[in-house]
């Protein structure tokens, strides 16, 4: 009887495997990456998921939490779009503007402390994890003087995302 149950169990397991969809495999034999598509209306979810993750890391290190700044979000959004238009990740705008100048243009009156940027197909949390692996970008996330942040992106139709994270200290 146990043998019969084992055979039927193996058959059932085999049949359920037939219903599974296989992941797409690239020419190198590895699974092809999934495109992380940010849909209209997801902006708040993405920004607050990122903020919560940053603040969890900061709390674990005994640092004050950051608050979201509408002005810094606007500066980050402008820079993300500009990097995409230039097709290069760098800290200067196409007009030569710096993070400080972009923040001033949107009315931010605090002090700009740092900026992280990324050109990737990864999610906001994968991007945060990559920033934490490098000392200079980790220092921006974990800056003791930071009290505010801005976070935004521009996503191209092909799925590539240009991320910008700005930290500041409000007065």
């Amino acid at each position: 009887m146990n043998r019969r149950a084992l055979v039927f169990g193996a058959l059932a397991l085999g049949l359920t495997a037939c219903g599974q969809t296989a992941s797409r495999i690239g020419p190198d034999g590895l699974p092809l990456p999934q495109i992380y598509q940010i849909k209209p209306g997801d902006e708040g979810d993405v920004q607050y998921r990122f903020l919560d993750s940053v603040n969890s890391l900061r709390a674990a290190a005994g640092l004050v939490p950051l608050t979201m700044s509408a002005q810094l979000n606007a500066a980050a959004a402008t820079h993300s779009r500009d990097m995409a238009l230039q097709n290069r990740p760098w800290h200067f705008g196409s007009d030569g503007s710096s993070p400080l100048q972009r923040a001033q243009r949107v009315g931010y009156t605090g002090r700009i402390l740092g900026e992280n940027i990324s050109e990737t197909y990864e999610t906001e949390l994968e991007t945060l994890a990559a920033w934490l692996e490098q000392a200079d970008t980790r220092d921006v996330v974990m800056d003791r003087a930071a009290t505010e942040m801005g976070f935004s992106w521009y996503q191209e139709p092909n799925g590539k995302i240009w991320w910008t994270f700005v930290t500041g200290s409000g007065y």
Side-chain angles (χ1 to χ4, degrees):
M1 189 66 157
N2 286 338
R3 191 176 199 176
R4 192 178 296 171
L6 183 62
V7 169
F8 283 120
L11 284 172
L13 184 61
L15 288 175
T16 57
C18 291
Q20 302 287 330
T21 57
S23 62
R24 299 180 330 170
I25 303 296
D28 57 1
L30 298 173
L32 292 173
Q34 297 289 326
I35 293 180
Y36 177 60
Q37 191 67 44
I38 303 172
K39 298 177 187 91
D42 288 349
E43 291 86 1
D45 290 342
V46 171
Q47 286 178 318
Y48 282 100
R49 190 168 39 245
F50 184 85
L51 175 66
D52 290 345
S53 297
V54 166
N55 282 339
S56 292
L57 293 165
R58 290 176 63 86
L63 302 173
V64 299
L66 302 180
T67 59
M68 191 76 72
S69 163
Q71 290 90 4
L72 292 179
N73 282 344
T78 298
H79 191 55
S80 292
R81 173 79 173 166
D82 191 40
M83 285 190 299
L85 291 172
Q86 295 179 73
N87 197 32
R88 64 178 172 179
W90 72 324
H91 293 283
F92 295 97
S94 56
D95 61 355
S97 62
S98 69
L100 173 63
Q101 291 166 320
R102 288 190 296 275
Q104 289 172 339
R105 287 178 186 165
V106 296
Y108 185 71
T109 58
R111 185 171 55 119
I112 294 299
L113 298 172
E115 179 182 73
N116 286 344
I117 57 173
S118 180
E119 167 195 14
T120 183
Y121 290 89
E122 296 176 333
T123 69
E124 67 279 1
L125 299 182
E126 290 170 319
T127 301
L128 175 59
W131 286 337
L132 293 172
E133 291 176 6
Q134 300 295 319
D136 58 340
T137 51
R138 181 179 51 248
D139 288 348
V140 172
V141 175
M142 304 303 280
D143 188 336
R144 291 186 172 284
T147 59
E148 298 178 305
M149 65 163 265
F151 180 68
S152 196
W153 62 91
Y154 175 77
Q155 186 165 30
E156 295 180 359
N158 68 3
K160 183 190 292 183
I161 306 171
W162 300 83
W163 300 104
T164 304
F165 170 62
V166 184
T167 58
S169 176
Y171 292 124

